[in-house]
Amino acid sequence: MATMEEIDPTCNPMQPLLEKRSTSHVDSSQMSEKVDSAIPQQPGPDDFRNYDIVRATQYGVMERVQELIEGGFDVNENDRESVSLLHWAGINNRTEIVKYFVSKGAVVDKFGGDLNSTPLHWATRQGHLKMVVLLMSLGADPTLRDGEGCSCIHLAAQFGHTAIVAYLIAKGHDVDMVDQNGMTSLMYASYRIFAYDPVRMLLTFGASLDKRDKIQGNTPLHFACQTANTVIIKTLINAGANLDAVNTKGQTPIDLAAMHKHTTVVKRLHEMRIELGYDTRHCLQKYTNDKTVRKKVMLVFPFIALWVIGAIPEMAADWYVKLALVVVAIIVWKVVAHFFFDDKLMTIMPISIYLATKLWMYYTWIVYFVPYIQSTEKNLIFTINTLLLTYNFWKAWRADPGFIETDRTEKIQVILDLAEDQTLTLQQFCSTCLIHRPIRSKHCNTCNRCVAKMDHHCPWIDNCVGADNHKYFIGYLFFLFGMICWCFHGCQIYWSHVCPFDVYVDGITGIIYKIVKASPWVAWIALNSLGHMLWVGILLTCQLYQIIWLGMTTNERINFVKYEYLHDKEAKAQELAQSQGHGHSHGGHGHGHQTFHGGPKAKSKNPFYRGMFKNAVDLFGWRLCGLLRPNKLDYRHLFVLPGEEAAVSKRLKFNVNRENYQFV
């Protein structure tokens, strides 16, 4: 992947401008010269009284600031580099000092610095959402342009400050606003940010894929191809970006990628052109490019493949005929895989393999095993297990796992509430669904939706496992394991009648020879049964261990370090105190604590653990005529832990007027 330094500036007149902006770290006006003054070394307490007004503002020494202002210093006076006090307070996120300056008459939208920008521009560059919210509440205008023609949304997008972008759009900022060069926020993000956000969020808000800048007429896809931003290229194309769009020089996105020698990107783009029907490679492309046709082929293929593998050896034909059929089958497989299999293969194929395996196992039970099973009880139990398996599979497959739904107005309201509550972070906010993430929820990239109490996305049921279908998923695994065991038991009954063997007489190789000779099909089904028995058994055991013993979901166990509500903060504080007091950490584990992959200090204190029996009761919702009381929590709307609502309600909020909000 190309870096910014690898791009030839002469090929893109926008690049010197973009590179200049990328140097902003602490100060928008004198980036490298003012780093020491913007973020100086921590002084001693006696040094504060000698600070000048700028240094006192940077460090947030309110007493010294008040002393100097009350002594007659003009709050709107610029320093020798044309930077105001409000700029310094904004870039260092000094909210109380900003309020004080404004109360003393500071001009909120005062321009200053080498880039001739406002304090709001400075705060935006640094990603200080709290300061952005405060300045806008005090009247700062985010639509003003700095000396380079950028408004705040362009700065937030090119520096990857997704939360600020979301807040500006929620406040009514035009998602497609252009700077003086015709650049939109989506163009900047596509060119500069090598991650899903904020591009994904801008697309959710309806950012245009077809707008072009004024200098070269490039679209967002052009800019992504120019820097080999593969993550964004795929995102833009999936959103409907035009691969044939040309700039003022007649160059397509592929031409730009080729000019910058991004060979891997060029190759992938040519493949995507063929997949999307832009180019023609063969006469069957009408069908191979049809997503519906490809999906049907991938769904049907396992049914045929599993049958062919067992049916060819089962045939009453000479060995060379069987060998020829195997060669033909391999050729067909290669052709089908080449023309019809795509990147959705691993999403579609697992559930098809499950259904195909189940179909042929039932076929084998009826055709091969039933004549030898004399026990009515066994057939009855097998039938009951089948009905329960089918019910639980259907519910796990088709039931809503807990998708979190909101309308556009609610999404905007969430952004405003979180930003003004000082809690708008990507840990709590989903930049794709634009919702406040409830505790234990997660965004599923396959379903492209947020799921309450997300466990994982299971390709074997082609659905997420979440709050509302987790119990059915456990039931599906349990009865699937039972069905596989019954099928293997049927194989044993069949062999006992058709080819009796003795391990001491025949040996392992002799037994295998007898089994395969008696019926290669039954041997193939038995092999399938053993394989499925292994993975289903492991998965069922892991699920029950996590649910009953840990009280966790798969997502929580894997990403344990990310979720603060699972951490024992008291134990962590004690270890920190010990480490500071003795110079090292003893690393001991208290009773009831468990250490996961987050390291020795990441000890768990799961607030949802209620004991093994109650954990099972909570999951399955068992009541037993009122004898049991499962803990019913609405995980779609659970944003704080039970008992912590009072603490959250006391959090300081900005007093922001909502009357002028424009819901777009």
Side-chain angles (χ1 to χ4, degrees):
M1 181 178 294
T3 63
M4 298 298 296
E5 290 75 20
E6 294 172 343
I7 309 302
D8 183 4
T10 61
C11 297
N12 177 23
M14 297 299 299
Q15 185 173 355
L17 176 63
L18 293 168
E19 289 185 339
K20 182 178 180 182
R21 289 170 183 161
S22 70
T23 62
S24 173
H25 178 60
V26 175
D27 175 13
S28 300
S29 56
Q30 300 88 17
M31 306 306 168
S32 59
E33 300 174 2
K34 293 189 177 180
V35 171
D36 292 337
S37 60
I39 307 178
Q41 296 297 317
Q42 212 38 260
D46 293 337
D47 296 331
F48 290 143
R49 66 188 62 157
N50 299 320
Y51 279 0
D52 60 19
I53 187 68
V54 171
R55 201 159 180 80
T57 300
Q58 291 171 332
Y59 278 111
V61 186
M62 190 66 174
E63 296 82 0
R64 180 61 175 163
V65 168
Q66 290 175 330
E67 177 185 347
L68 293 172
I69 295 296
E70 299 299 333
F73 193 92
D74 184 3
V75 73
N76 285 310
E77 182 179 337
N78 290 349
D79 63 14
R80 61 183 179 179
E81 294 169 333
S82 298
V83 179
S84 74
L85 295 177
L86 204 59
H87 283 85
W88 289 119
I91 200 172
N92 287 283
N93 209 23
R94 307 300 183 186
T95 56
E96 292 304 317
I97 292 181
V98 165
K99 293 177 184 178
Y100 176 72
F101 284 158
V102 173
S103 72
K104 292 299 181 179
V107 178
V108 178
D109 285 329
K110 188 176 181 63
F111 285 86
D114 287 349
L115 295 180
N116 195 29
S117 52
T118 67
L120 184 60
H121 287 112
W122 281 37
T124 301
R125 284 176 179 270
Q126 291 304 108
H128 296 322
L129 174 63
K130 183 165 64 172
M131 181 58 65
V132 169
V133 174
L134 175 60
L135 288 171
M136 290 178 65
S137 73
L138 295 172
D141 186 356
T143 64
L144 295 177
R145 293 179 177 177
D146 62 13
E148 294 179 331
C150 283
S151 67
C152 288
I153 194 171
H154 302 116
L155 298 176
Q158 66 178 293
F159 289 109
H161 302 317
T162 303
I164 295 180
V165 175
Y167 182 67
L168 292 173
I169 296 174
K171 284 282 288 181
H173 222 58
D174 182 7
V175 70
D176 287 322
M177 175 180 282
V178 297
D179 67 0
Q180 66 180 8
N181 297 307
M183 294 279 289
T184 65
S185 53
L186 182 60
M187 294 177 190
Y188 277 117
S190 300
Y191 187 85
R192 291 287 306 278
I193 307 302
F194 290 78
Y196 286 111
D197 291 313
V199 167
R200 187 166 53 182
M201 190 204 65
L202 288 166
L203 292 173
T204 303
F205 271 119
S208 173
L209 294 164
D210 301 321
K211 279 189 173 291
R212 305 163 190 270
D213 73 275
K214 295 179 181 178
I215 296 180
Q216 286 196 340
N218 287 334
T219 65
L221 185 58
H222 281 89
F223 284 104
C225 290
Q226 191 170 328
T227 54
N229 195 344
T230 53
V231 172
I232 301 306
I233 289 172
K234 184 177 180 181
T235 302
L236 294 174
I237 292 176
N238 289 340
N242 184 7
L243 281 164
D244 279 338
V246 294
N247 58 20
T248 54
K249 295 182 179 180
Q251 297 170 314
T252 66
I254 296 180
D255 295 333
L256 273 184
M259 184 176 69
H260 292 286
K261 299 180 180 180
H262 303 315
T263 54
T264 303
V265 174
V266 172
K267 180 180 178 181
R268 180 57 186 145
L269 286 172
H270 278 300
E271 292 174 352
M272 296 186 77
R273 287 182 62 86
I274 293 172
E275 292 174 5
L276 296 172
Y278 284 88
D279 298 331
T280 303
R281 178 185 289 175
H282 50 78
C283 59
L284 296 178
Q285 191 166 313
K286 175 183 177 182
Y287 303 101
T288 58
N289 286 343
D290 190 322
K291 293 183 179 180
T292 303
V293 173
R294 289 206 304 268
K295 182 176 181 179
K296 290 180 179 178
V297 170
M298 286 186 283
L299 283 172
V300 172
F301 184 81
F303 289 87
I304 299 175
L306 291 176
W307 176 79
V308 167
I309 294 173
I312 291 178
E314 186 81 0
M315 292 175 58
D318 294 328
W319 66 268
Y320 53 83
V321 175
K322 296 180 181 180
L323 181 61
L325 289 174
V326 169
V327 172
V328 171
I330 293 174
I331 293 173
V332 171
W333 165 47
K334 292 291 186 181
V335 171
V336 171
H338 178 74
F339 288 110
F340 293 96
F341 291 0
D342 56 25
D343 55 0
K344 295 185 180 297
L345 179 68
M346 296 312 298
T347 303
I348 297 173
M349 194 70 81
I351 188 172
S352 182
I353 291 175
Y354 157 70
L355 292 173
T357 304
K358 183 179 174 183
L359 171 67
W360 294 123
M361 283 183 178
Y362 282 124
Y363 164 81
T364 307
W365 181 276
I366 296 171
V367 175
Y368 287 85
F369 302 160
V370 168
Y372 300 101
I373 298 177
Q374 306 299 326
S375 172
T376 305
E377 291 79 6
K378 289 185 178 181
N379 283 308
L380 180 60
I381 294 174
F382 182 78
T383 303
I384 294 173
N385 188 92
T386 296
L387 294 175
L388 293 173
L389 169 61
T390 303
Y391 171 77
N392 282 277
F393 169 73
W394 177 264
K395 295 292 287 186
W397 176 34
R398 306 306 297 173
D400 181 352
F403 292 129
I404 302 170
E405 304 285 354
T406 57
D407 58 29
R408 188 174 180 82
T409 301
E410 289 178 305
K411 292 175 180 178
I412 298 296
Q413 190 79 24
V414 162
I415 296 172
L416 299 176
D417 288 340
L418 291 178
E420 290 157 15
D421 195 36
Q422 308 170 35
T423 58
L424 181 56
T425 64
L426 294 185
Q427 286 71 38
Q428 291 184 298
F429 175 73
C430 177
S431 60
T432 301
C433 300
L434 304 181
I435 63 167
H436 185 187
R437 283 177 174 163
I439 290 178
R440 312 192 83 178
S441 69
K442 188 177 183 296
H443 183 84
C444 174
N445 291 324
T446 304
C447 298
N448 199 31
R449 299 167 79 177
C450 282
V451 182
K453 197 186 175 187
M454 168 79 158
D455 189 85
H456 70 290
H457 181 91
C458 181
W460 298 100
I461 61 172
D462 192 26
N463 197 5
C464 283
V465 178
D468 293 344
N469 71 339
H470 201 165
K471 63 180 180 180
Y472 298 115
F473 180 70
I474 298 298
Y476 157 70
L477 292 178
F478 178 80
F479 291 110
L480 176 60
F481 187 78
M483 176 259 187
I484 295 169
C485 291
W486 273 108
C487 187
F488 189 75
H489 179 60
C491 293
Q492 293 176 316
I493 294 175
Y494 175 83
W495 293 330
S496 65
H497 287 80
V498 176
C499 56
F501 53 79
D502 188 304
V503 67
Y504 297 104
V505 176
D506 300 304
I508 300 298
T509 55
I511 292 174
I512 294 174
Y513 174 78
K514 281 188 172 184
I515 288 174
V516 173
K517 184 178 181 181
S519 175
W521 174 267
V522 174
W524 168 237
I525 293 298
L527 186 62
N528 268 275
S529 299
L530 289 174
H532 283 73
M533 196 183 301
L534 179 64
W535 76 260
V536 173
I538 292 174
L539 182 55
L540 178 60
T541 302
C542 288
Q543 282 285 312
L544 293 176
Y545 170 73
Q546 290 171 173
I547 294 166
I548 297 175
W549 188 265
L550 300 179
M552 284 182 170
T553 63
T554 302
N555 172 55
E556 288 172 334
R557 191 179 179 199
I558 293 175
N559 300 302
F560 168 76
V561 177
K562 291 170 53 178
Y563 300 117
E564 291 292 333
Y565 62 86
L566 294 174
H567 297 176
D568 189 340
K569 298 178 182 178
E570 294 180 1
K572 191 172 182 180
Q574 290 175 1
E575 283 200 356
L576 181 61
Q578 290 177 353
S579 176
Q580 293 174 343
H582 302 288
H584 67 280
S585 174
H586 296 294
H589 297 173
H591 177 70
H593 298 297
Q594 297 159 354
T595 302
F596 294 89
H597 297 292
K601 292 185 179 179
K603 293 182 178 179
S604 72
K605 186 176 181 181
N606 189 351
F608 300 102
Y609 180 85
R610 301 209 308 144
M612 292 189 291
F613 180 73
K614 288 184 178 179
N615 287 342
V617 170
D618 291 344
L619 176 73
F620 294 105
W622 293 328
R623 292 187 178 275
L624 295 181
C625 300
L627 296 177
L628 301 178
R629 295 185 178 181
N631 188 15
K632 289 293 184 180
L633 294 175
D634 184 4
Y635 286 105
R636 282 184 170 90
H637 301 93
L638 185 67
F639 300 106
V640 295
L641 296 176
E644 294 187 359
E645 295 85 353
V648 173
S649 65
K650 293 180 181 179
R651 185 182 291 122
L652 174 65
K653 295 187 179 182
F654 290 113
N655 185 20
V656 180
N657 181 16
R658 290 279 180 94
E659 293 179 358
N660 64 339
Y661 279 14
Q662 176 184 353
F663 294 96
V664 294

